[in-house]
Amino acid sequence: MKTLFLIFALQVAFLAGAGEKKPACCVTNSAGASVANSPAFTDKSLYQLDSVWNSADGRNLKLAELRGKPQVVTMFFARCEFACPVLVHDVKRIEAALPSELRGKVGFVLVSFDSERDTPEVLRGYRERQELNATTWTLLQGKPDDVLELGALLGIKFKKDAQGQFAHSNVITILNPAGEIVYQLNGLNLDVTPAISAIQKTVN
C-alpha cells in the first residue's frame, strides 16, 4: 500500500509540475558516508525512493547517490536477445553524441528487470562484454517490488513469460541532477538529438 501511494504521489507531482521541497535526511554517498546537509529533493524526484540496489561492483546504493549530474536511465535484462541490445545501443548512441566536454559529466544507468538472475556478477560480465565504462555506467539489480515501483514511475511496463524472458516497454529517460524526469525516448532506433538537447539544458 505504501508503495502504491508513493507511485501515485510522484505521478501526480510529475503531471502537476509541483515543486514543494521535502527533506533528504541521511542520504549516503558512494563511499557510504552520511550526507546530512544534502539539498532537499523536490516531490518530482525519483531520488526520494528508499529502495536499496545492488550494483555490478557489488555495492549497495540508493538512487539518491546518483544525484549531482544528469543520468540517462533505461531498464533491461542481461539475457534479452531482441529489444535490449538495441535499447542499450541507443543509450550508447546518446553517449557518443554528447559533446566531448560533457561525457564525463553525464551518468548512464541500466536497471535490470530480472531480479533473480541478473546478479552483480552477471551485470559485471554484461558491462565488460558491452565495453561500458565503469566510471560512468551504473548497472543495478533490485528486489522485485522495487523494480516494479521504479518501472511504474518511469512509465515502463514489463511481464515475465514462461521461458524467463521479459516483454517490456522500450523507454530511455533523462533525469536532471536532482533526479527529475526531463525527457523520455519511447521506442527503438530513434533520433537521439532531442535527448542530447535535454541533457545539455540540465548542465547549462
Side-chain angles (χ1 to χ4, degrees):
M1 182 64 70
K2 180 180 178 182
T3 294
L4 292 175
F5 177 78
L6 179 57
I7 292 173
F8 175 76
L10 281 171
Q11 288 176 332
V12 169
F14 295 153
L15 293 173
E20 181 185 355
K21 300 288 184 178
K22 293 187 178 180
C25 175
C26 306
V27 173
T28 57
N29 62 18
S30 58
S34 177
V35 185
N37 296 321
S38 298
F41 300 121
T42 72
D43 53 8
K44 296 185 291 181
S45 176
L46 295 182
Y47 296 164
Q48 294 182 79
L49 296 177
D50 287 329
S51 48
V52 177
W53 302 80
N54 302 313
S55 77
D57 295 316
R59 293 193 302 114
N60 296 328
L61 59 87
K62 291 187 176 183
L63 296 181
E65 294 184 47
L66 302 174
R67 71 188 309 161
K69 62 182 179 181
Q71 300 287 342
V72 181
V73 182
T74 196
M75 300 184 75
F76 85 120
F77 63 106
R79 289 171 173 79
C80 182
E81 299 175 352
F82 303 105
C84 297
V86 181
L87 190 60
V88 173
H89 179 68
D90 286 346
V91 179
K92 288 183 175 181
R93 287 170 53 218
I94 292 174
E95 181 182 34
L98 286 170
S100 57
E101 66 272 15
L102 285 185
R103 287 179 194 165
K105 300 178 180 179
V106 179
F108 302 88
V109 183
L110 302 181
V111 181
S112 175
F113 295 116
D114 196 342
S115 300
E116 179 181 352
R117 296 180 299 181
D118 281 352
T119 63
E121 293 77 14
V122 169
L123 293 179
R124 188 160 55 249
Y126 183 89
R127 185 179 65 192
E128 292 172 358
R129 290 192 302 276
Q130 292 291 326
E131 299 182 344
L132 307 177
N133 186 339
T135 302
T136 51
W137 286 73
T138 303
L139 280 66
L140 299 177
Q141 170 217 34
K143 298 176 182 177
D145 285 350
D146 295 335
V147 174
L148 184 64
E149 178 182 47
L150 181 60
L153 293 171
L154 293 174
I156 296 175
K157 298 179 180 180
F158 62 95
K159 184 177 182 180
K160 187 176 182 179
D161 65 23
Q163 288 72 45
Q165 296 290 307
F166 289 80
H168 58 86
S169 310
N170 298 302
V171 181
I172 297 173
T173 300
I174 310 300
L175 301 180
N176 67 16
E180 300 165 342
I181 296 173
V182 295
Y183 187 77
Q184 290 188 305
L185 281 171
N186 291 274
L188 299 172
N189 287 319
L190 300 178
D191 180 11
V192 300
T193 303
I196 301 299
S197 297
I199 292 169
Q200 289 175 315
K201 289 177 182 177
T202 71
V203 295
N204 292 333

